[in-house]
Amino acid sequence: MKIQNFLLAFFAAVFFLFAGSAPARADLKINVNVGQVNPMPIAIPDFTGSAGDDANLGHDLVDVISADLTRSGLFRTLDPKSFIQNGQQAQANPNFSEWAAINAQALVTGSISKTGNGRTRVEFRLWDVSAQEQLTGKAFMTTPTNWRRIGHIIADEIYKRITGEQGYFDSRIVYISETGPYDHRIKRLAIMDQDGENHHFLTDGDTLVLTPRFSPTSQQITYMAYYHNKPRVYLYDIDSGRQEKLGDFPGMTFAPRFSPDGNKVVMSLSKNGNSDIYTMDLRNHGVSQLTHDNSINTSPSYSPDGKFITFESDRSGTPEIYVMNSDGSGAHRITFGDGHYSSPVWSPRGDLIAFTRLYQNQFYIGVIHPDGHGERLITQGYDVEGPTWAPNGRVLAYFKELPSGWNKTERSAQLYTIDLTGFNEMKVNTPLDASDPAWSPLNP
């Protein structure tokens, strides 16, 4: 199966709009290092364009930008019915007093036009209403079919300029799509934009698939599939749809994760009733064993600099989170709370490790610093599992399983996102039940 390549090829040019982009005043900033944030009021009138397709596209683009910013929990997009100026007037000459009158702190204007070669030019500008000055502006040349991605990129630029942090909207999520009765689930790989749009199934459901993970350096996914009841590890190329078998690994408990440079995968292999952490070099398929312990060692995840690996082990008697050097030396425990800890995954910023915790029949998603201090539980539920980081390390995605059916013997699984502070939990819509998400890096 082939997925349309909508990566670098869609850019003909990207450039800054320097005119009027004076340095911003420091007060137009959202402090994201606190708990619940009062969302910043932001006005985004429809981008201007000629009648017909351009005008419709201007409205659709603003819908994508507004939805992204609103879902972050940091912005409150104002109702267009309250606007005194329309988009065309604001694009030509913003009347800041009229935007201040409706309590807008920031204003986004934009325009869309067709070029002679059939491509589309999209321009936007971000304004500080109080300072009456432009904060940033960019223009993009693209094909009309890639308009949704342009919306995500513009939302990322706005997010970055006002929060000071990298955006995460121009990214995707791969996950396991599930259907069927609880004792005979059909599981398929599926991929979508982070907002649930542009959804595609990558596998047909003939084989059981588990634990997909994105490469940090290329448009590849690694996952585990059972073929004739034997576990295999695969690489899936998103652009071409080509699958490559890495090997047959009887008894493997979890699918591999990529190293930060994309040249290795780290995984847990079970041999003779014992599971240990191994790495495989993707260039020559050489396998190296990292742990040598008579216990369960599983769920490994690299630090973003590649120097360390976090993993789950029951060597202390109960499942806990450990950290070791990437060569397997220096393993030490970092969790000491009650209950069981599992599925650790390192933040792309390197500052935190997310995990699942089971305590008194309740599941939690939490975070902890790599040195073991500062543990925080940010959400809980009947069954919440599988944390994965947004590419900016600010937001987590995970899945919830809830009893379903008239006698509550079935289950329903859905994806959710939540801010690192534990606020702004949002459901991610999927066509069917969904589990085990993995967030991509920003699209190249």
Side-chain angles (χ1 to χ4, degrees):
M1 175 188 305
K2 289 190 176 181
I3 303 300
Q4 180 184 5
N5 184 355
F6 57 99
L7 305 176
L8 287 176
F10 87 95
F11 283 110
V14 179
F15 49 92
F16 280 96
L17 302 175
F18 289 104
S21 54
R25 297 197 329 180
D27 56 350
L28 189 61
K29 188 115 174 157
I30 297 176
N31 182 4
V32 296
N33 297 313
V34 296
Q36 193 162 10
V37 174
N38 289 325
M40 174 181 286
I42 184 170
I44 315 178
D46 287 351
F47 286 11
T48 61
S50 58
D53 292 342
D54 286 351
N56 293 333
L57 184 57
H59 176 79
D60 293 341
L61 263 173
V62 167
D63 279 350
V64 171
I65 298 166
S66 299
D68 281 346
L69 295 177
T70 299
R71 283 182 64 87
S72 75
L74 302 178
F75 297 86
R76 177 170 60 87
T77 54
L78 298 175
D79 187 344
K81 294 179 181 178
S82 68
F83 296 171
I84 301 171
Q85 268 197 319
N86 61 34
Q88 187 171 4
Q89 294 167 335
Q91 172 70 10
N93 186 24
N95 187 326
F96 294 107
S97 62
E98 292 185 349
W99 295 105
I102 62 171
N103 299 317
Q105 295 183 27
L107 168 68
V108 178
T109 61
S111 63
I112 299 172
S113 59
K114 285 186 172 62
T115 63
N117 58 3
R119 299 175 73 80
T120 299
R121 183 181 190 274
V122 180
E123 170 190 323
F124 89 96
R125 298 172 189 265
L126 172 65
W127 305 88
D128 181 334
V129 172
S130 177
Q132 300 188 14
E133 61 188 15
Q134 181 178 316
L135 301 182
T136 190
K138 285 188 177 181
F140 307 90
M141 297 292 291
T142 186
T143 59
T145 56
N146 288 311
W147 65 271
R148 289 196 65 88
R149 188 180 176 195
I150 291 296
H152 294 316
I153 292 172
I154 292 174
D156 277 336
E157 292 292 336
I158 296 167
Y159 182 99
K160 181 178 180 179
R161 184 60 186 83
I162 293 182
T163 70
E165 294 191 347
Q166 185 69 47
Y168 61 93
F169 306 119
D170 183 30
S171 60
R172 292 182 282 182
I173 293 175
V174 64
Y175 72 97
I176 301 297
S177 177
E178 302 187 21
T179 188
Y182 181 72
D183 58 352
H184 188 66
R185 299 290 273 180
I186 297 174
K187 297 190 175 186
R188 292 185 284 176
L189 280 184
I191 191 171
M192 60 187 176
D193 294 347
Q194 54 79 30
D195 60 355
E197 297 293 332
N198 288 324
H199 188 279
H200 302 279
F201 291 107
L202 302 180
T203 59
D204 57 15
D206 286 345
T207 57
L208 177 68
V209 293
L210 299 170
T211 54
R213 302 290 182 255
F214 263 101
S215 168
T217 60
S218 64
Q219 293 299 302
Q220 287 186 321
I221 298 165
T222 181
Y223 67 97
M224 190 174 76
Y226 280 87
Y227 184 77
H228 294 314
N229 294 321
K230 293 183 179 180
R232 289 179 172 178
V233 179
Y234 287 90
L235 287 180
Y236 185 101
D237 186 277
I238 300 172
D239 293 337
S240 68
R242 188 174 71 89
Q243 298 182 72
E244 175 189 353
K245 184 182 74 170
L246 290 183
D248 297 293
F249 302 102
M252 196 180 92
T253 53
F254 280 86
R257 288 184 186 269
F258 287 93
S259 62
D261 62 8
N263 291 329
K264 292 182 179 181
V265 292
V266 62
M267 53 192 165
S268 170
L269 299 183
S270 179
K271 295 183 178 181
N272 301 319
N274 187 64
S275 65
D276 277 299
I277 307 298
Y278 293 74
T279 60
M280 172 184 280
D281 192 313
L282 295 178
R283 294 161 295 188
N284 57 27
H285 287 198
V287 176
S288 301
Q289 184 174 350
L290 298 184
T291 62
H292 302 79
D293 191 87
N294 294 323
S295 57
I296 298 174
N297 303 282
T298 188
S299 301
S301 172
Y302 275 100
S303 62
D305 61 7
K307 295 180 179 180
F308 304 98
I309 294 172
T310 183
F311 64 102
E312 171 192 344
S313 178
D314 66 353
R315 64 184 64 184
S316 62
T318 58
E320 303 288 347
I321 306 301
Y322 287 75
V323 170
M324 65 182 174
N325 297 322
S326 59
D327 63 0
S329 65
H332 59 281
R333 178 178 168 182
I334 66 168
T335 56
F336 295 89
D338 295 329
H340 296 173
Y341 292 80
S342 62
S343 58
V345 56
W346 220 301
S347 165
R349 297 195 295 200
D351 57 339
L352 292 169
I353 295 170
F355 58 83
T356 300
R357 181 178 173 186
L358 174 61
Y359 176 60
Q360 295 185 340
N361 297 318
Q362 191 77 208
F363 283 85
Y364 301 83
I365 300 293
V367 295
I368 191 170
H369 289 281
D371 62 3
H373 82 274
E375 178 181 335
R376 289 189 296 112
L377 302 177
I378 61 176
T379 188
Q380 69 181 84
Y382 170 83
D383 189 354
V384 291
E385 296 186 67
T388 180
W389 292 94
N392 68 347
R394 176 73 200 179
V395 178
L396 283 164
Y398 52 93
F399 71 98
K400 288 184 181 182
E401 289 188 350
L402 296 172
S404 64
W406 67 272
N407 58 356
K408 301 299 182 182
T409 59
E410 300 293 314
R411 67 170 178 80
S412 176
Q414 300 293 331
L415 303 187
Y416 289 81
T417 61
I418 195 167
D419 189 84
L420 184 58
T421 60
F423 291 95
N424 195 43
E425 183 180 65
M426 302 287 289
K427 182 180 176 181
V428 181
N429 291 323
T430 55
L432 302 169
D433 279 6
S435 64
D436 208 0
W439 215 316
S440 78
L442 285 175
N443 290 321

